[in-house]
Amino acid sequence: MDEQDTAAILPEDLLSASSADDQLSDSEDRKDEAGLPTATTLAPPSCRCPVPVSVEPVLFLSMFSLALQAPLTTQYLWDRISEDLGYNGSRRSGCSNSSVDPDPLQKEVETLTAHWNLYISLGGFSVGLVVVPLLGSWSDVAGRRTVLILPNFGLALQAVVYLVVMYLKLPVVCFLVGRLLSGLSGDFNAVLAGCFAYVADISDKRSRTFRVAVLEACLGISGMLASIIGGQWRQAQGYINPFWLVLATNLASALYAYLFIRESVRPDPSARLLSARHYKAVWRLYSTGGISGGAPLHRGKLWLYTLCFFLVVAVHFGTRELYVLYELSSPLCWDSALIGYGSAALNLAYLSSLLGLKVMQRCLQDSWVALVGLVSNVTGLVVFSVAHTTQLIFTGYGLCFLFMASTPVLRSKLSKLVDPSEQGALFACVACVESLCFLVGSSVFNSLYPATLHFMKGFSFLFAAIVLLIPAAIIGALQCFDQRREHRDSAS
């Protein structure tokens, strides 16, 4: 029985106590290429929260601010571009009659809004692609709390820039400045990396999938509340007041992390942030299997599950930016309130996915749970691709009620494939992949949407459904392979 199998069986407290002496005895031998101590040397002390809540409020508040500002930013871009071009928005009669050809000016507004969404996303996430893995791997030796605090200050600074743009009616290109400043601090992806790494530090293998799913449910619940509040608030008071709440929420998240989060790793005061060692740790993880090495099959699973995670998350974030555009334009022509309810319905799937995952784990293995989640996502996207009424849109949202069941399973499987001392390096890589998902998803879908308006308005959603068949096939094949191997081993 290997160490990972033992870790899956031993209770968490006993495992922590029994491994402490081994980690200390190995500390003198484990050095990286630069002669610096590895993450194992700085193994976390026993860190047990007195209550079951740890980093969940940090993720809740950060996601609340993100979900509050994202649709409002798209709507603000739409309104500013419409004002510049002289387009009167969805008030034209064509919105109530799908047989009327779309206004060419509306197509131009849609195209420019999609392109500005793309430019802003590209700017922020291209910077984050470099910064996030650096911060995530650094947290392995310097501690998690800093990686939870710093990005929230960056997001608050972005909100300040957005407020200045709205107060002074500066050109929309100034939004890009705010995104770049946020990207330099790690952006929301650094918060994600820190939270998931923290949960991996304090959970055992049996409970990890559900703990990860709880974090993702926090994303959905906060997103649902922010979507409802944002749509109604914007309709009543405009854009500026909601963005003041965005600023306050980011500052509150940073303050909570500073005051209430207990450190889950033993910080090394000599750890340097600007060091190539952090990138080497990620490279070593995927090239050699990490500190303890790994068989080709083990490394292959790591790569395949990472590919699945990349495709699923890229589709999630790529299509999410299109929902608002799709609903703003004819024949739907939704107002801010309906857009808020639609975003809330989508985010409610985080909670329903958590409940569904908990129920399905009683009778299904994690891989089959992930496949059920992907089927839910694919069917919802197919309905979106042909939806031309409000009823069909909400039907699509309803069919997606389990669409987030796949990502916690994939995160958990990746976490279980590596040594406990490499969780920071792993989630640094996952955060890097997630940044790339934002980059690729925004690029592909914001470019594909205006390019396919002339022959099928919902083609982007159909394309997303086809892409999700790839991770479904990989996860199913790996699970069948594992089951055959277990059956062969038990027979022998």
Side-chain angles (χ1 to χ4, degrees):
M1 184 178 295
D2 57 25
E3 290 182 2
Q4 292 186 347
D5 291 334
T6 303
I9 296 173
L10 288 174
E12 183 179 359
D13 291 339
L14 181 59
L15 175 62
S16 174
S18 63
S19 62
D21 294 337
D22 295 336
Q23 290 170 346
L24 290 174
S25 64
D26 291 344
S27 63
E28 295 299 324
D29 298 328
R30 294 195 172 180
K31 305 282 185 179
D32 67 3
E33 295 84 353
L36 296 173
T38 64
T40 305
T41 305
L42 304 170
S46 179
C47 174
R48 306 291 295 175
C49 283
V51 293
V53 175
S54 55
V55 293
E56 287 81 2
V58 175
L59 194 60
F60 182 94
L61 292 170
S62 298
M63 182 61 196
F64 183 91
S65 68
L66 184 70
L68 183 62
Q69 70 175 322
L72 292 177
T73 301
T74 301
Q75 291 177 75
Y76 182 82
L77 289 171
W78 176 283
D79 287 347
R80 280 291 301 273
I81 293 170
S82 296
E83 181 181 346
D84 293 342
L85 296 178
Y87 174 63
N88 64 350
S90 60
R91 295 172 179 81
R92 53 187 292 274
S93 59
C95 283
S96 59
N97 186 356
S98 60
S99 63
V100 177
D101 292 334
D103 189 338
L105 204 56
Q106 175 187 290
K107 285 188 175 182
E108 187 175 359
V109 171
E110 284 187 81
T111 301
L112 287 174
T113 304
H115 284 170
W116 273 112
N117 266 333
L118 172 61
Y119 303 149
I120 293 169
S121 296
L122 281 174
F125 294 120
S126 59
V127 175
L129 190 63
V130 177
V131 176
V132 171
L134 185 69
L135 288 172
S137 186
W138 178 64
S139 72
D140 238 354
V141 290
R144 310 288 185 208
R145 293 173 71 240
T146 304
V147 178
L148 297 175
I149 296 169
L150 181 62
N152 275 298
F153 278 119
L155 289 166
L157 186 58
Q158 174 187 299
V160 170
V161 173
Y162 281 23
L163 281 168
V164 171
V165 172
M166 293 175 187
Y167 270 115
L168 303 180
K169 288 201 170 182
L170 300 177
V172 293
V173 69
C174 295
F175 277 167
L176 183 58
V177 176
R179 292 294 294 117
L180 290 174
L181 292 173
S182 178
L184 286 172
S185 68
D187 203 73
F188 180 69
N189 282 326
V191 179
L192 283 177
C195 289
F196 285 114
Y198 190 96
V199 164
D201 292 337
I202 64 173
S203 64
D204 59 17
K205 291 189 175 183
R206 289 173 297 178
S207 63
R208 190 165 302 163
T209 300
F210 185 71
R211 285 299 302 266
V212 169
V214 169
L215 278 179
E216 299 215 9
C218 289
L219 297 174
I221 296 171
S222 60
M224 177 182 63
L225 294 175
S227 298
I228 295 175
I229 293 171
Q232 298 286 350
W233 201 355
R234 181 263 168 191
Q235 199 170 38
Q237 295 185 347
Y239 294 102
I240 290 177
N241 286 342
F243 271 88
W244 277 110
L245 181 59
V246 170
L247 173 61
T249 306
N250 287 131
L251 294 176
S253 180
L255 184 63
Y256 176 91
Y258 178 76
L259 294 177
F260 300 111
I261 298 297
R262 298 174 59 189
E263 190 56 76
S264 62
V265 301
R266 185 176 296 122
D268 179 9
S270 65
R272 292 185 298 128
L273 173 60
L274 301 178
S275 172
R277 174 186 182 276
H278 307 307
Y279 293 108
K280 289 179 181 178
V282 175
W283 169 256
R284 180 176 56 198
L285 188 66
Y286 277 83
S287 61
T288 66
I291 293 173
S292 59
L297 178 61
H298 180 88
R299 293 196 300 272
K301 283 185 176 181
L302 202 62
W303 279 101
L304 287 173
Y305 282 127
T306 301
L307 174 62
C308 292
F309 182 81
F310 170 79
L311 293 174
V312 171
V313 176
V315 166
H316 285 176
F317 289 110
T319 54
R320 181 180 289 273
E321 294 187 357
L322 301 183
Y323 291 130
V324 175
L325 282 177
Y326 193 80
E327 294 158 358
L328 277 171
S329 58
S330 64
L332 295 171
C333 300
W334 283 10
D335 57 18
S336 296
L338 270 177
I339 289 172
Y341 290 130
S343 296
L346 183 65
N347 286 301
L348 184 62
Y350 284 85
L351 183 57
S352 59
S353 294
L354 172 66
L355 299 176
L357 183 144
K358 186 64 174 177
V359 171
M360 289 187 290
Q361 278 188 320
R362 296 178 179 275
C363 56
L364 294 175
Q365 292 180 313
D366 281 356
S367 293
W368 302 124
V369 173
L371 286 176
V372 172
L374 289 173
V375 169
S376 173
N377 201 356
V378 167
T379 53
L381 288 169
V382 170
V383 171
F384 285 130
S385 69
V386 296
H388 58 275
T389 64
T390 297
Q391 290 80 4
L392 271 178
I393 288 289
F394 279 104
T395 299
Y397 284 134
L399 290 172
C400 285
F401 77 108
L402 290 175
F403 89 109
M404 286 305 299
S406 56
T407 49
V409 171
L410 290 170
R411 290 185 199 268
S412 178
K413 282 186 173 292
L414 286 168
S415 178
K416 293 173 185 177
L417 283 171
V418 304
D419 192 86
S421 64
E422 298 174 301
Q423 296 298 327
L426 172 73
F427 282 103
C429 187
V430 171
C432 179
V433 171
E434 201 151 3
S435 295
L436 189 61
C437 291
F438 277 106
L439 187 69
V440 173
S442 296
S443 301
V444 170
F445 287 96
N446 277 300
S447 299
L448 185 65
Y449 180 76
T452 56
L453 283 173
H454 65 283
F455 70 89
M456 183 179 179
K457 189 177 181 67
F459 177 80
S460 299
F461 299 113
L462 183 61
F463 174 77
I466 295 172
V467 170
L468 288 181
L469 298 179
I470 299 174
I474 293 174
I475 294 170
L478 287 176
Q479 179 63 22
C480 291
F481 176 80
D482 288 341
Q483 287 182 343
R484 284 199 302 268
R485 187 179 62 176
E486 290 174 2
H487 178 73
R488 186 170 59 249
D489 291 344
S490 62
S492 61

